[in-house]
Amino acid sequence: MITLYRFFPAWNLPCISPFVTKVAAYLTLVGLPFGIRTQDMSRLASDAPRGKLPYIEDSDGTKIPDSNEIIAYLKSKYGDPLDADLSLASKADAVAWTRLCDEHLYWSGLIEPRWRMESGWQTFIPYLARGTEITAEVENTLAGLRQHILREFEGQGMGRRSSAEVLAVFKVDIDALSDRVGAGPYFTGSAIRSIDATVYATLIHIIGVPFEWAGKDYALSKQNLVSYCEGVKERLAATT
């Protein structure tokens, strides 16, 4: 059995990470049996390839990191029932949309409201604490984690923008996704593909989580994206 390692679940999602959610969605859509294990964070550096989540451990002990590398590995070893019939151009398009979600929208749509905006951060703290009493020591630990993430945010470049500028580029990406989905029901039309695991995981971590901000409101105003997420969620539930 494949084991998927995560941070921890929240908001009726398998993990607080969209990348773990993506892999869980892909495994479900292709019908591969898997289990989910919450990673012991004190052992992350030693257990996880590259010291990051998600990673999977296959039944033979092989460990694969990174959501996109995991999906590529699964396709190579277990077949590609979702994308095998796609043209090379369509596969190239999927790579580009994946990069938009993973390398751009992730920063503007998740890191900005959760980690930089003070209201979002205060909302996030209880989930990160996971029921632990929020003492001064816990607050200091979480503040240190926040500063680490914000340094990455700035290093990536998105965090060098003002919040208004971040919202503006966020809206461009949401518009692009909405225009591409169109009437759906899935990202490329009537057939569900592996790109749907990526797009769904990104969008549901924007519209389906308790961080209130203008970007979430904007995404929710795109009724086709809301319907898209509902449709993929129903497909996942039916496949489980």
Side-chain angles (χ1 to χ4, degrees):
M1 165 137 351
I2 297 164
T3 301
L4 170 61
Y5 287 84
R6 69 180 176 190
F7 293 98
F8 50 87
W11 320 305
N12 295 317
L13 294 172
C15 187
I16 62 168
S17 163
F19 302 114
V20 176
T21 302
K22 178 208 298 193
V23 176
Y26 178 81
L27 286 163
T28 301
L29 290 172
V30 297
L32 285 171
F34 71 102
I36 298 180
R37 184 173 299 174
T38 300
Q39 173 68 38
D40 178 351
M41 298 308 292
S42 68
R43 295 180 53 85
L44 181 62
S46 59
D47 289 355
R50 302 182 193 147
K52 300 184 74 174
L53 296 176
Y55 71 95
I56 62 165
E57 185 171 4
D58 208 344
S59 54
D60 63 359
T62 301
K63 292 182 178 181
I64 306 293
D66 185 274
S67 61
N68 295 317
E69 292 179 35
I70 290 168
I71 291 173
Y73 166 84
L74 295 172
K75 287 181 177 182
S76 175
K77 183 169 182 179
Y78 296 102
D80 188 10
L82 300 183
D83 300 339
D85 63 331
L86 287 177
S87 67
L88 291 177
S90 293
K91 290 179 180 180
D93 286 345
V95 170
W97 287 109
T98 296
R99 297 292 186 259
L100 179 142
C101 289
D102 290 356
E103 307 293 345
H104 202 257
L105 192 53
Y106 167 74
W107 296 98
S108 65
L110 280 79
I111 299 303
E112 168 74 14
R114 294 186 190 187
W115 295 91
R116 181 158 77 167
M117 295 177 63
E118 189 60 31
S119 61
W121 173 244
Q122 293 302 320
T123 299
F124 204 15
I125 286 174
Y127 294 100
L128 293 174
R130 300 180 64 197
T132 302
E133 181 183 358
I134 303 175
T135 63
E137 182 180 1
V138 170
E139 283 189 346
N140 287 337
T141 298
L142 293 178
L145 176 61
R146 184 188 191 190
Q147 289 306 310
H148 171 74
I149 297 297
L150 291 179
R151 283 194 295 271
E152 291 186 338
F153 190 39
E154 183 174 352
Q156 188 272 345
M158 188 69 71
R160 297 173 185 266
R161 294 179 168 95
S162 69
S163 289
E165 291 169 329
V166 170
L167 179 61
V169 297
F170 169 87
K171 287 181 176 180
V172 171
D173 289 352
I174 292 296
D175 287 345
L177 289 175
S178 178
D179 291 344
R180 183 64 184 84
V181 168
Y186 302 120
F187 193 72
T188 58
S190 59
I192 200 160
R193 305 290 188 178
S194 61
I195 184 63
D196 288 293
T198 298
V199 176
Y200 165 77
T202 301
L203 287 174
I204 203 66
H205 274 268
I206 293 169
I207 68 173
V209 297
F211 305 99
E212 301 302 328
W213 68 299
K216 178 180 178 179
D217 293 341
Y218 188 76
L220 285 169
S221 75
K222 304 289 186 178
Q223 186 55 52
N224 70 325
L225 294 183
V226 175
S227 297
Y228 167 80
C229 286
E230 291 172 350
V232 176
K233 190 173 183 178
E234 289 174 2
R235 177 69 175 263
L236 289 169
T239 309
T240 302

